[in-house]
Amino acid sequence: MNIPKSVEIIEVSPRDGLQNEPKPISTEQKKELISRLANLGFSRIEATSFVHPKWVPQMADAEEIANFCNGLGITFIALTPNIKAVQRAIEVKVPQIAVFIGASAAFNKKNINKTTDESLDECEEIFKKAKEHDIFVRAYVSMAFTCPYQGEVTFEEVQHVCQRFVDLAADEIVIADTNGYANPRMVYDRFSRLRDLYPTAVFAGHFHDTRRMALVNTLAAMQVGIDKFDSSMGGLGGCPYSPGALGNAATEDLLLMLEEMGVETGLSYDQVKEVSPFAKSLSTRATYPGV
Ligand code: HMG
Ligand code: MG
């Protein structure tokens, strides 16, 4: 089997996992989750979003969370959809930012109130500002397989966004199945074509588990050599502008699969699974039962 020797798991529960929760989660509870995750040894944690609190109320405490993460000394990622967000992130010394742009223009408009091309144009300034401050830029291609608003998403639409990210020298490009409707064949095909087109780009996978295919999709991407994956403790997650989507691949399930396959992650399944109940306790939604 053609799979990488080691895989980086990027834990996204404090951000993707909690952003769409209908009941307010206190900043103290978020800090507790981040502390527990930090103790498990994740190389990177996606901690918060500098978005508008009217659009995503759950992320209104982004500055306080960023200050807390800096106090812990961890490498963390924060979402920044526009230049105002980047300015907020710079003020609190965020080490890694993430832009997120829909390959589907219909989704992008719903999610960040701009067309895909308008958002890509804004990226010029975002990337420039980030580089000036030595900030790592992660760049998501959202709805990279299908879209609840426009249906089919073509490979050309995905490539259009990727090409711009490559031209802007993104440090990492995350191909995201935002609504969780990809299947392993699509994943293998799209990642293979992107790898061939951009052999030196660093790619990561971000799979939502709506139809319980997040793990098999991960495996399909691993067979193309992809070795960075986002996942969320307890399978929490969902985007408020991706109706019907369930959470991300559950970290504990992903880790169990990788551990059993002998793939190194630097994490321990036994330790990680102990933290999952706390993460789930923050959610009001029925979450993935896990293993
Ligand atoms: P907008 O309303 O178009 O913004 O929102 P605007 O530029 O027209 O400005 C309107 C007001 O908002 C102004 O204030 C701005 O200053 C303020 P006023 O002058 O009226 O007082 N404003 C901001 N305030 C705080 N932070 C900001 C900001 N920007 C403008 N950053 C905006 C545009 C992007 C802000 C809005 O659409 C937004 O916040 N969207 C976020 C949506 C979101 O967070 N979605 C979930 C994350 S994406 C996701 O989950 C997918 C992912 O997991 C990968 C995958 O699965 O695909 C990453
Ligand atoms: Mg997501």
Side-chain angles (χ1 to χ4, degrees):
M1 201 175 192
N2 182 27
I3 51 167
K5 276 197 175 56
S6 64
V7 156
E8 182 190 12
I9 297 183
I10 299 112
E11 173 61 31
V12 299
S13 57
R15 197 280 303 169
D16 203 327
L18 303 184
Q19 69 181 7
N20 199 25
E21 278 298 324
K23 252 181 57 189
I25 297 164
S26 73
T27 307
E28 289 316 305
Q29 284 174 307
K30 293 177 192 168
K31 289 180 182 173
E32 177 65 28
L33 175 63
I34 292 168
S35 294
R36 293 190 192 203
L37 295 171
N39 287 338
L40 293 170
F42 287 99
S43 53
R44 291 187 283 165
I45 296 172
E46 202 166 83
T48 190
S49 287
F50 291 90
V51 294
H52 198 299
K54 267 195 249 158
W55 286 63
V56 187
Q58 204 66 258
M59 297 286 113
D61 52 7
E63 275 80 2
E64 195 174 340
I65 293 294
N67 286 330
F68 178 73
C69 291
N70 277 325
L72 289 178
I74 58 172
T75 302
F76 67 100
I77 303 161
L79 261 51
T80 53
N82 58 12
I83 195 71
K84 170 146 185 145
V86 177
Q87 281 155 355
R88 290 176 60 196
I90 288 169
E91 272 183 33
V92 287
K93 300 190 169 29
V94 171
Q96 302 202 349
I97 60 164
V99 296
F100 46 100
I101 299 189
S104 140
F107 168 72
N108 204 65
K109 187 77 188 160
K110 298 261 185 211
N111 198 35
I112 47 180
N113 206 19
K114 284 197 160 72
T115 65
T116 297
D117 282 328
E118 285 167 347
S119 288
L120 286 171
D121 287 345
E122 192 167 8
C123 275
E124 306 267 342
E125 199 185 341
I126 291 179
F127 279 59
K128 187 163 168 277
K129 262 254 160 324
K131 304 263 150 144
E132 278 167 18
H133 288 81
D134 225 5
I135 295 174
F136 180 103
V137 184
R138 144 175 261 245
Y140 278 102
V141 186
S142 288
M143 296 295 179
F145 299 92
T146 70
C147 169
Y149 304 108
Q150 77 172 42
E152 189 195 355
V153 175
T154 65
F155 179 77
E156 287 66 32
E157 288 172 302
V158 175
Q159 190 195 335
H160 175 67
V161 179
C162 276
Q163 182 65 55
R164 214 46 191 275
F165 287 160
V166 169
D167 292 344
L168 291 166
D171 294 294
E172 172 176 80
I173 299 175
V174 191
I175 305 299
D177 180 22
T178 315
N179 59 337
Y181 270 66
N183 64 54
R185 183 180 283 261
M186 288 171 92
V187 168
Y188 187 88
D189 180 61
R190 290 203 169 182
F191 272 102
S192 306
R193 292 175 73 182
L194 289 170
R195 260 249 166 286
D196 289 347
L197 281 166
Y198 309 111
T200 56
V202 176
F203 285 105
H206 176 109
F207 299 111
H208 281 266
D209 208 18
T210 312
R211 300 194 303 168
R212 305 308 185 208
M213 289 199 215
L215 276 194
V216 287
N217 287 335
T218 303
L219 194 57
M222 282 169 68
Q223 290 187 301
V224 183
I226 305 303
D227 61 359
K228 295 175 190 300
F229 295 97
D230 294 355
S231 64
S232 175
M233 202 61 84
L236 303 184
C239 168
Y241 302 97
S242 173
L246 292 189
N248 296 89
T251 305
E252 57 274 39
D253 294 353
L254 173 60
L255 186 54
L256 179 62
M257 178 179 87
L258 295 175
E259 243 181 51
E260 297 255 323
M261 291 170 73
V263 177
E264 286 163 30
T265 60
L267 300 162
S268 148
Y269 170 70
D270 285 338
Q271 290 171 8
V272 161
K273 76 167 195 267
E274 295 301 318
V275 174
S276 170
F278 177 72
K280 287 187 194 179
S281 77
L282 302 179
S283 171
T284 56
R285 296 165 198 279
T287 52
Y288 192 56
V291 285

